Structures are given as structure tokens and as C-alpha cells.
Amino acid sequence: MTKRHTPVVLAMLACALLTGCSTVEKKTAEVRDSTRMQEGTQQTSSRLLDMTGLKGKVTKPAPGPLPCEGYEGDVIQMIHPWSVYGLPFEELEKAYAAMRRTLPENGWKIVSDGPDTSNAKIPTIVADSPDGEYSAELRLMDNRNDPKTKTKAMLNVTVVSRCFQES
């Protein structure tokens, strides 16, 4: 480095350290109607529930917004976590295994399939919708050996939309 470049490098370093400025460019997100994205997330969740073929109890939270990081401006995504429970573990396990076939048959791309990184090594499938607008994570929870847990088995599903800027 020459003496001529030293002030520039020092200025960039000072900027990064003192003010948090960065030369990393932030991404921009498409503008979307948040109500339509919330409805789309709900519909995607409903289609996934139908694909499981399960008739157990289903938690009722509605989709809601979640901030997206790494974007310019206020960017969010819709998230919809829900679970099917009140069924024998074996029935949930069979539906979970069938989703490996059912998701691709319905145009979904499985991007990850295997145990998560927790100590419990929870079976987890992550898949992207045919249109690329949504991703889903399916987790097969087995709490049969936990005396403290009331719900002994459940299939947890989390659907997230792609990140967008509200219109």
C-alpha cells in the first residue's frame, strides 16, 4: 500500500468501525400487498395440511409479519407456524414420511431432509413452493418419553413467504 492510499483505507476503516457503514450492498425486495401475502400464506398452509391427510387437532394462529434482514427499507415476510396434534405418533410419522413423496408430486422442491442440528435431532423437511413464493419447514415432534409434556406427538409446520416491501 502506498502512502497515497493510506488516508483512503484509514477513512474506510474508521467509517466501518465507528458508524457501522458498509460497502456490502443491501438487496431490494418486490413491492407486494401485505393482505394478499397473508392470504397466500394461509392458503399455502391449508394446501399443506390437506397434503398430509391428517385429521387431528390443528393450532389456529393466523399468519403474521416478520422482519427480513439484509434488505433496504422496511422489508417483511409472512410467517405461519401451526401444528397438528392429538393423534398417535405412528400416524403422524406415516404422514410425515408420505410428505417426501407428496410435496414433489405437487411441484414442491425439497431442499433439505434430515435431522436438525439440535441435540434431539428432530426429523425436518424444508421445501420450496412451485412458484418460489413460499417455503415450508415440517418437523416431526416425538415427546412420548417426556413425562412433563402433555402433547406427546405433533407435526409442526412453518410456512414463510418470500421477503417483500409493503405497498
Side-chain angles (χ1 to χ4, degrees):
M1 178 167 58
T2 67
K3 286 185 180 184
R4 187 174 58 158
H5 293 112
T6 303
V8 173
V9 172
L10 289 175
M12 288 173 56
L13 183 59
C15 178
L17 293 174
L18 297 175
T19 65
C21 66
S22 169
T23 57
V24 176
E25 229 174 278
K26 293 197 175 215
K27 301 179 275 186
T28 58
E30 294 179 31
V31 176
R32 307 269 175 125
D33 178 71
S34 60
T35 301
R36 288 183 66 185
M37 290 301 288
Q38 186 174 18
E39 290 168 355
T41 304
Q42 178 68 53
Q43 290 167 356
T44 300
S45 287
S46 294
R47 286 193 296 274
L48 288 169
L49 178 59
D50 291 344
M51 280 188 239
T52 70
L54 294 170
K55 303 295 182 205
K57 298 174 185 173
V58 180
T59 57
K60 301 289 184 192
L66 181 70
C68 288
E69 295 199 17
Y71 286 85
E72 216 171 278
D74 292 330
V75 177
I76 62 170
Q77 65 187 150
M78 288 295 162
I79 183 168
H80 187 207
W82 51 274
S83 301
V84 180
Y85 63 101
L87 296 169
F89 177 77
E90 294 74 21
E91 192 173 335
L92 295 168
E93 185 177 41
K94 187 185 293 185
Y96 176 84
M99 290 298 280
R100 286 189 181 94
R101 180 187 71 258
T102 307
L103 285 164
E105 286 174 357
N106 285 276
W108 286 72
K109 180 182 179 197
I110 295 178
V111 294
S112 175
D113 184 0
D116 69 7
T117 58
S118 72
N119 288 339
K121 303 291 184 218
I122 299 167
T124 304
I125 295 172
V126 178
D128 293 335
S129 67
D131 60 7
E133 292 290 316
Y134 303 94
S135 291
E137 179 184 79
L138 292 78
R139 298 166 60 85
L140 181 61
M141 307 299 290
D142 181 3
N143 299 315
R144 293 175 293 176
N145 296 325
D146 186 348
K148 300 175 198 164
T149 306
K150 184 178 173 183
T151 303
K152 296 299 180 185
M154 67 180 78
L155 178 64
N156 289 343
V157 179
T158 302
V159 176
V160 294
S161 72
R162 66 191 314 186
C163 294
F164 65 96
Q165 230 172 339
E166 293 183 88
S167 57

